[in-house]
Amino acid sequence: QVQLVESGGGLVQAGGSLRLACTASGPIYHIMSMGWYRQAPGRQRELVATITSDGSSNYVDSVKGRFIISRSHHTVYLQMNSLKPEDTGVYYCNSDIVGIPTTRRYNDWGQGTQVTVSS
């Protein structure tokens, strides 16, 4: 019932930038946290960045200083700067949502958006 939709992926040269966006829709009372994960071919899905409802953010070490996560209401953004080939992968949005009525809780995933960084 709650849906997450990502956008903003694409092909970019090393050193370039992309901005990803993910919008949650549906019977939402409160979003506890939102985050971005990525999965490269043959590798496990890893957490990239998260942001909580109070604005606190966390990043995996490999993207610190290059990526910025932010949130506006039901949309989370990931500004990716100084991109490297190792950033290549499918990026997924995830959210921990308290629904309406508030007894309902959702932990959903978006469909993913491809990010490819050429050397």
Side-chain angles (χ1 to χ4, degrees), residues 12-19 38 46 48-49 59-69 78-88 91 115 117:
V12 66
Q13 278 190 282
S17 297
L18 287 172
R19 191 189 193 210
R38 67 186 179 190
E46 69 169 344
V48 178
Y59 302 88
V60 67
D61 286 345
S62 61
V63 309
K64 287 181 178 178
R66 299 189 297 120
F67 291 10
I68 302 171
I69 190 169
L78 186 67
Q79 178 66 45
M80 305 187 293
N81 301 315
S82 301
L83 283 162
K84 303 175 180 180
E86 52 262 44
D87 294 319
T88 294
Y91 283 68
V115 172
V117 184

Side-chain angles (χ1 to χ4, degrees), residues 5-48:
V5 179
E6 304 103 329
S7 63
L11 175 64
V12 66
Q13 278 190 282
S17 297
L18 287 172
R19 191 189 193 210
L20 307 183
C22 172
T23 298
S25 61
I28 299 168
Y29 175 77
H30 181 68
I31 297 178
M32 300 295 291
S33 65
M34 299 185 82
W36 288 95
Y37 294 71
R38 67 186 179 190
Q39 188 166 24
R43 297 191 177 189
Q44 291 182 284
R45 187 175 298 185
E46 69 169 344
L47 177 65
V48 178

